[in-house]
Amino acid sequence: MMRKNKLINETRSLNELEWLMERVFQKRGFDFREYRRNTLIRRIGRRLKARSSKTYKEYADVLDKDPGEYDKLFNDLTINVTSFFRDQSAFTALEQVVIPALVKKEAKNIRIWSMGCSTGEEPYSIAILLMEFLKQNIKKMDITILATDIDPRALKNAMKGIFSNKAVADIRPSWVEKYFIPAGNNFSVRPELKELITFQTHDMVSDPFYHDFDLVVCRNVLIYFMLPLQIRVLKCIHKELKQGGFLLLGKAEQPAAELNGLFSCVDRNARLYRNIPLQNTGIEWNRKRE
Ligand SMILES: C[S@@+](CC[C@H](N)C(=O)[O-])C[C@H]1O[C@@H](n2cnc3c(N)ncnc32)[C@H](O)[C@@H]1O
């Protein structure tokens, strides 16, 4: 009997959570409806506690009375954890496989998209590797690094390009010297590195995708999405990658089985993939909710 009651309460609570997410979307346009339930329960739970709300319905009243609470909710739901050269194997693969392949080819430009870039450590790390490789190989190429995130606050910090001592501790000292300027207790990214990157807000759930990339880096975001949303986003990425373009995912991420044939695996440990042209896959492309 107690187990049955617990189950009924959990189901009611899940229904209320879905109701709350729909309401937040209708009122403010934040679309977290297809984020993983566990993440939502954990993160919204913090807001409930902070505002002494016992249920999602009570919390909805708080949102109605205090619209500033929406921003706090948004901040809790966009998890900005990141670092320079996060996950060694990914950056080794970029340095040893991807960048040499992109620089070797005949093309005069390289187009890279860092999606869900948070406060910028990821695109700056990629830019450092590219600069190093081009210098060593005495090569000049037009480089476009588009770095996007749903969170304007994170992007504002990314654009400033000022990082603490602790943040730059993950970067090789010779590169810190080359690409950063000491500024008190912090380090400021040198203009020539900053120039390579365009930071922009972009919501991968609802905004149109940009086109024609040699490399898309989408790490540690898909883990927060439910499977149908992951699949939709990866299909969009596939469409916007050039033929044979690279995709780098986060350590705990991989293309779902439903996407078999869209990406070939280059390095499983690094989560590095390459796209296969759509006409060879038999998979239909559909951006709409399924
Ligand atoms: C954990 S961070 C990952 C940062 C970086 N890619 C890394 O791996 O270090 C996740 C980022 O994804 C962003 N994000 C979450 N949902 C998003 C969406 N729908 N569209 C774009 N960015 C999103 C968050 O704002 C956050 O900055």
Side-chain angles (χ1 to χ4, degrees):
M1 185 66 176
M2 259 170 69
R3 265 189 68 187
K4 197 175 161 201
N5 281 345
K6 193 170 170 241
L7 208 69
I8 293 170
N9 282 340
E10 276 173 9
T11 311
R12 191 176 295 146
S13 174
L14 260 183
N15 289 343
E16 259 192 42
L17 176 64
E18 267 155 35
W19 168 83
L20 178 69
M21 287 298 95
E22 186 60 41
R23 202 163 185 271
V24 167
F25 174 62
Q26 296 303 338
K27 296 216 167 203
R28 288 297 284 265
F30 301 158
D31 194 353
F32 294 104
R33 293 175 295 175
E34 287 185 273
Y35 283 48
R36 285 215 166 137
R37 291 295 168 260
N38 285 351
T39 310
L40 293 178
I41 291 169
R42 211 176 51 245
R43 306 298 289 198
I44 300 176
R46 286 157 51 141
R47 295 310 316 150
L48 259 72
K49 208 167 164 203
R51 300 307 302 255
S52 310
S53 304
K54 289 198 184 61
T55 63
Y56 295 120
K57 291 228 157 136
E58 270 184 43
Y59 183 64
D61 292 338
V62 173
L63 285 167
D64 282 346
K65 287 189 193 118
D66 175 10
E69 178 61 26
Y70 274 105
D71 296 330
K72 295 194 176 118
L73 176 64
F74 181 85
N75 285 337
D76 262 342
L77 290 176
T78 52
I79 300 160
N80 298 131
V81 181
T82 187
S83 55
F84 285 102
F85 298 96
R86 181 181 189 184
D87 297 332
Q88 186 57 49
S89 57
F91 281 91
T92 304
L94 283 181
E95 189 174 21
Q96 295 181 358
V97 180
V98 180
I99 293 176
L102 300 185
V103 172
K104 237 191 231 161
K105 61 177 198 162
E106 295 307 302
K108 299 245 178 310
N109 61 44
I110 298 180
R111 285 174 56 79
I112 296 173
W113 187 0
S114 162
M115 305 179 81
C117 69
S118 187
T119 40
E121 287 85 336
E122 180 178 276
Y124 284 125
S125 304
I126 298 168
I128 290 174
L129 289 187
L130 259 171
M131 292 275 269
E132 283 296 301
F133 192 87
L134 290 174
K135 268 184 202 157
Q136 274 162 23
N137 291 275
I138 321 167
K139 230 181 138 141
K140 273 211 156 122
M141 287 182 98
D142 279 344
I143 292 171
T144 306
I145 301 178
L146 174 66
T148 60
D149 200 281
I150 193 178
D151 183 353
R153 268 194 359 173
L155 285 173
K156 209 168 156 198
N157 286 327
M159 277 181 240
K160 273 192 206 143
I162 297 172
F163 296 96
S164 67
N165 272 323
K166 198 166 162 248
V168 300
D170 296 325
I171 310 174
R172 247 180 242 176
S174 62
W175 290 352
V176 175
E177 216 169 279
K178 228 192 246 182
Y179 296 107
F180 292 81
I181 305 163
N185 284 333
N186 298 321
F187 286 85
S188 173
V189 176
R190 282 191 186 275
E192 54 271 31
L193 195 68
K194 240 189 214 175
E195 258 162 31
L196 300 180
I197 307 172
T198 306
F199 289 101
Q200 221 159 285
T201 48
H202 179 268
D203 179 353
M204 59 182 97
V205 176
S206 55
D207 287 332
F209 275 42
Y210 298 98
H211 310 295
D212 233 12
F213 291 93
D214 298 288
L215 164 68
V216 170
V217 178
C218 182
R219 302 190 315 145
N220 306 305
V221 189
L222 296 178
I223 33 164
Y224 300 117
F225 295 172
M226 291 203 288
L227 191 63
L229 179 56
Q230 284 186 25
I231 292 174
R232 281 207 312 280
V233 169
L234 282 172
K235 281 185 178 175
C236 291
I237 291 177
H238 178 271
K239 191 165 170 270
E240 306 310 350
L241 272 171
K242 290 180 189 166
Q243 193 165 322
F246 291 94
L247 165 69
L248 188 65
L249 297 178
K251 217 166 180 44
E253 296 161 337
Q254 60 184 355
E258 287 81 344
L259 297 170
N260 264 351
L262 272 197
F263 300 99
S264 61
C265 183
V266 178
D267 180 338
R268 190 169 300 281
N269 190 34
R271 303 292 160 163
L272 178 66
Y273 302 86
R274 226 168 171 172
N275 90 328
I276 298 171
L278 200 56
Q279 61 268 30
N280 298 349
T281 65
I283 293 177
E284 272 182 44
W285 185 83
N286 181 5
R287 180 83 209 272
K288 294 204 183 82
R289 271 162 207 275
E290 275 146 12

